Amino acid sequence: MEQGRRLSWSDLQCLARRKPASSTVRAGAGAAAVGGNGRSLAKALSVPHLMAIGVGSTIGAGIYVLVGTVAREHAGPALTISFLIAGIAAALSALCYAELACRFPSAGSAYHYSYICIGESVAWLIGWALILEYTIGGSSVARGISPNLALFFGGEDKLPFFLAQIHVKWLDTAVDPCAAILVLIVTALLCLGIKESSVVEGVITIANVAIMLFVICAGGWLGFQNGWPGYNVPKGYFPNGASGVFSGSATLFFAYIGFDAVASTAEEVKNPQRDLPWGMCLTLSLCCFLYMMVSVVIVGLVPYYAMDPDTPISSAFAQYGMQWAVYVISSGAVLALIASLIGAILPQPRIVMAMARDGLLPPIFSAVDQRTQVPTLSTILTGICAAILAFFMDVSELAGMVSVGTLLAFTMVAISILIVRYAPPSEMPMEGADPGSLESLASHTDHSEPVVEILEDPFGNVKAPTASEVANMVRRQKAKRCIVLLFTMHGMCLR
């Protein structure tokens, strides 16, 4: 490249180029990867596996804290309505994810959809935002496990050295070997295979749901025995009015985040057009039901202004003499954190793999293990990064960046839905190309003559088209112009 060369319009167009939709990822995708074997991911997931991943990723330890915080500061006894409103808002986002996952069932989640519908530069931004979100989210979840284990050992001072947070003089924060060890264990689990990982996630999630059902049943029995004192408050059911209910629902919306982990496994679902919508809808329905029932019980046992903001559920049972229930509820919090940790690390390597397929990362990260059919190298890399972050850093101050990544991803998914629904055919990418292939990176043009491009990705990998590929590209471009012409004539007839 000549020095001092100015950017041309074609250079800027490369930032907005889109890849065609690919309904399947055929074997051999990414075969040009260095060290890769070109194999696709395993088609092993069904609706129960998707529910295990979705519910485990969604129901974190936050439910054991948010109940008290939102009830005291915002909603009061109307906490159940706040959960319902937040669930409806989350369901709208989940439906957007479900539609795009059905149309484009490939790894990458919001990154993949943005690349198809919006452009490369936006997809690059979304991909890194998601990687940052999952890394920080997983690290913060891992660092929250050690304090919850302290109850079973009689306090934080009595924890074994490999579970306790250790203060180092030359560091501003305590190192957490327990968090790093758990992240590495989860990484090793994910390297075994997607089906094995989802089965373990399902076992942990079932145990967590069982503990929540215990809270609902035991708390309901206590409530009927004592006349639900939490609802007999001077300010009534809406102490802060409608504004308190809606502000509470805004906070509770983050209790539903996690269903996007289901979309990241779209390429590994046996029947994505059927199973993905069912998996997401059943995940949110179950989570919303459990959240609402727990809030009904806990708010009814203790007046909202008397709740413990840190441990609202266990303290509510302790007020009725059920001290032993504290251990059961703390077990649920630990299980919820472990399930959330698996759900946070699971999508990362698939996003890295998708970006490597498209040439936005070194192609070696698109390699898929021949035996386990998972992106082992990407999984190990993201797991080590999350473990280092969890060991050395207090990521609570960076937790706000997780919300930024979530906001960007949800916004781009909603915009992608509008583009898919209302963009004319001439503005939509063609279908039928493999991820990472030459056609998937070619700009969508409307020239009258066939255009054949030889593209170079950021890492200098060049692939020249063969004669058969050129012929296929010419045929597709001619078919595209015929479709555009037909739609133009149809519009003129309607006028």
Side-chain angles (χ1 to χ4, degrees), residues 271-293:
N271 188 347
Q273 281 72 24
R274 181 197 66 188
D275 295 345
L276 281 170
W278 275 109
M280 291 188 185
C281 292
L282 291 176
T283 292
L284 279 180
S285 299
L286 179 59
C287 292
C288 187
F289 170 78
L290 292 174
Y291 287 165
M292 292 177 66
M293 294 304 297

Side-chain angles (χ1 to χ4, degrees), residues 161-186:
F161 72 95
F162 60 90
L163 295 179
Q165 295 184 354
I166 304 171
H167 293 273
V168 181
K169 294 181 179 180
W170 49 273
L171 286 178
D172 294 333
T173 184
V175 297
D176 194 338
C178 175
I181 292 172
L182 285 173
V183 171
L184 294 177
I185 291 175
V186 170

Side-chain angles (χ1 to χ4, degrees), residues 290-336:
L290 292 174
Y291 287 165
M292 292 177 66
M293 294 304 297
V294 169
S295 63
V296 166
V297 170
I298 299 304
V299 171
L301 289 178
V302 181
Y304 70 94
Y305 50 79
M307 282 188 177
D308 187 338
D310 297 324
T311 56
I313 299 179
S314 57
S315 62
F317 280 90
Q319 290 188 22
Y320 289 89
M322 296 179 63
Q323 298 290 344
W324 57 270
V326 175
Y327 295 94
V328 178
I329 296 168
S330 297
S331 301
V334 172
L335 291 173

Side-chain angles (χ1 to χ4, degrees), residues 353-367:
M353 181 192 69
M355 295 178 70
R357 282 175 172 175
D358 297 328
L360 300 183
L361 285 176
I364 192 173
F365 294 119
S366 65

Side-chain angles (χ1 to χ4, degrees), residues 271-449:
N271 188 347
Q273 281 72 24
R274 181 197 66 188
D275 295 345
L276 281 170
W278 275 109
M280 291 188 185
C281 292
L282 291 176
T283 292
L284 279 180
S285 299
L286 179 59
C287 292
C288 187
F289 170 78
L290 292 174
Y291 287 165
M292 292 177 66
M293 294 304 297
V294 169
S295 63
V296 166
V297 170
I298 299 304
V299 171
L301 289 178
V302 181
Y304 70 94
Y305 50 79
M307 282 188 177
D308 187 338
D310 297 324
T311 56
I313 299 179
S314 57
S315 62
F317 280 90
Q319 290 188 22
Y320 289 89
M322 296 179 63
Q323 298 290 344
W324 57 270
V326 175
Y327 295 94
V328 178
I329 296 168
S330 297
S331 301
V334 172
L335 291 173
L337 285 170
I338 295 175
S340 296
L341 179 60
I342 298 175
I345 299 180
L346 174 66
Q348 291 183 64
R350 283 144 183 84
I351 296 173
V352 172
M353 181 192 69
M355 295 178 70
R357 282 175 172 175
D358 297 328
L360 300 183
L361 285 176
I364 192 173
F365 294 119
S366 65
V368 177
D369 187 83
Q370 182 176 359
R371 184 177 62 86
T372 61
Q373 292 185 275
V374 295
T376 305
L377 181 60
S378 300
T379 303
I380 294 174
L381 174 67
T382 54
I384 291 175
C385 292
I388 293 174
L389 192 63
F391 182 76
F392 284 106
M393 295 182 63
D394 184 6
V395 294
S396 59
E397 297 180 358
L398 303 177
M401 301 181 69
V402 177
S403 303
V404 174
T406 303
L407 174 64
L408 286 175
F410 283 14
T411 303
M412 292 303 107
V413 167
I415 294 175
S416 299
I417 283 290
L418 294 177
I419 293 175
V420 167
R421 292 283 187 87
Y422 298 109
S426 60
E427 296 295 329
M428 285 300 300
M430 297 182 298
E431 297 184 359
D434 291 338
S437 65
L438 177 67
E439 295 93 314
S440 69
L441 296 175
S443 301
H444 189 81
T445 58
D446 290 321
H447 299 298
S448 58
E449 296 295 328

Side-chain angles (χ1 to χ4, degrees), residues 128-148:
W128 281 110
L130 288 175
I131 293 173
L132 181 65
E133 170 193 344
Y134 289 124
T135 302
I136 295 177
S139 301
S140 61
V141 166
R143 287 186 71 93
I145 294 177
S146 178
N148 283 276

